[in-house]
Amino acid sequence: DAGVTQSPTHLIKTRGQQVTLRCSPISGHKSVSWYQQVLGQGPQFIFQYYEKEERGRGNFPDRFSARQFPNYSSELNVNALLLGDSALYLCASSLGGQVNSPLHFGNGTRLTVT
Amino acid sequence: AQSVTQPDIHITVSEGASLELRCNYSYGATPYLFWYVQSPGQGLQLLLKYFSGDTLVQGIKGFEAEFKRSQSSFNLRKPSVHWSDAAEYFCAARNTGNQFYFGTGTSLTVIP
């Protein structure tokens, strides 16, 4: 079975631009979460979606938004990019609905803002 | 607020030696605890998880972890380290909501 897939793998943007990152969860997984991992740090929670509804939001500005589609894939959008948005963006899927569902991560999208 | 602390930023061990990576959590109730491993340029792979019951949990690749409520710890161990274990290790806790809290990670170097 395919794991969590993310696209693109690498991205270079300029300050002020907008970016869209995409994620396809493991088949059968209904929950998708997004995490930001700055170099040398652990992942920080951005969003969680379950059954197309937002179920959690981390401490990120409104420039960050996301959505989940009927096929459970997801997009993360970041507007008005700042240099500090440069990071590895990780998507994770889980069965959802159960608190003991572990996260299964994709390999991430490396975003560089110049 | 819930938090996860990994006191050791970097650890170096010889191949074949034993390993223990420390993790402490701060949470009012018993959290759901996880250990993940990340190789360079890769996502995170689940090593093991603890929810309840037996406080010693076995994971993949020969890893195990022990939950100690009195110490608020969930340390990861391996009896004999292989060179392929060199990676970044993250401890994480999940509350009854939907958010995972990750530690800052421990980088493991294995020397021949």
Side-chain angles (χ1 to χ4, degrees), chain B residues 47-97:
Chain B
L47 287 175
L48 48 77
K49 57 186 183 289
Y50 172 78
F51 303 130
S52 63
D54 193 348
T55 56
L56 185 64
V57 294
Q58 303 296 321
I60 63 171
K61 304 183 179 184
F63 286 93
E64 65 179 26
E66 185 172 14
F67 171 67
K68 293 185 177 180
R69 184 190 302 276
S70 61
Q71 299 177 17
S72 297
S73 69
F74 187 57
N75 294 349
L76 182 71
R77 301 194 295 247
K78 186 169 184 178
S80 178
V81 171
H82 187 262
W83 63 266
S84 61
D85 292 325
E88 190 86 15
Y89 290 80
F90 292 95
C91 181
R94 178 179 181 176
N95 59 14
T96 53

Side-chain angles (χ1 to χ4, degrees), chain A residues 33 35 37 40-45 48 55-58 88 90 98-107, chain B residues 32 34 36 38 41-46 49 51 88 90 94-105:
Chain A
S33 299
Y35 285 78
Q37 186 179 20
Q41 299 294 318
Q44 296 291 315
F45 174 73
Q48 195 245 357
R55 294 299 183 93
R57 183 184 183 115
L88 180 67
L90 294 165
Q98 306 97 343
V99 292
N100 60 357
S101 297
L103 296 178
H104 298 268
F105 285 87
N107 287 337
Chain B
Y32 302 94
F34 306 80
Y36 285 84
Q38 185 177 36
Q42 300 294 312
L44 282 75
Q45 181 184 20
L46 178 68
K49 57 186 183 289
F51 303 130
E88 190 86 15
F90 292 95
R94 178 179 181 176
N95 59 14
T96 53
N98 303 307
Q99 184 170 347
F100 277 63
Y101 297 85
F102 285 85
T104 52

Side-chain angles (χ1 to χ4, degrees), chain B residues 9-47:
Chain B
I9 297 174
H10 184 254
I11 284 182
T12 299
V13 298
S14 298
E15 190 169 17
S18 63
L19 171 70
E20 182 169 24
L21 303 182
R22 296 184 292 166
C23 172
N24 295 97
Y25 67 91
S26 172
Y27 187 57
T30 300
Y32 302 94
L33 299 165
F34 306 80
W35 274 99
Y36 285 84
V37 61
Q38 185 177 36
S39 298
Q42 300 294 312
L44 282 75
Q45 181 184 20
L46 178 68
L47 287 175

Side-chain angles (χ1 to χ4, degrees), chain A residues 80-94:
Chain A
L81 285 167
L82 303 173
L83 294 179
D85 295 330
S86 295
L88 180 67
Y89 287 84
L90 294 165
C91 174
S93 74
S94 67

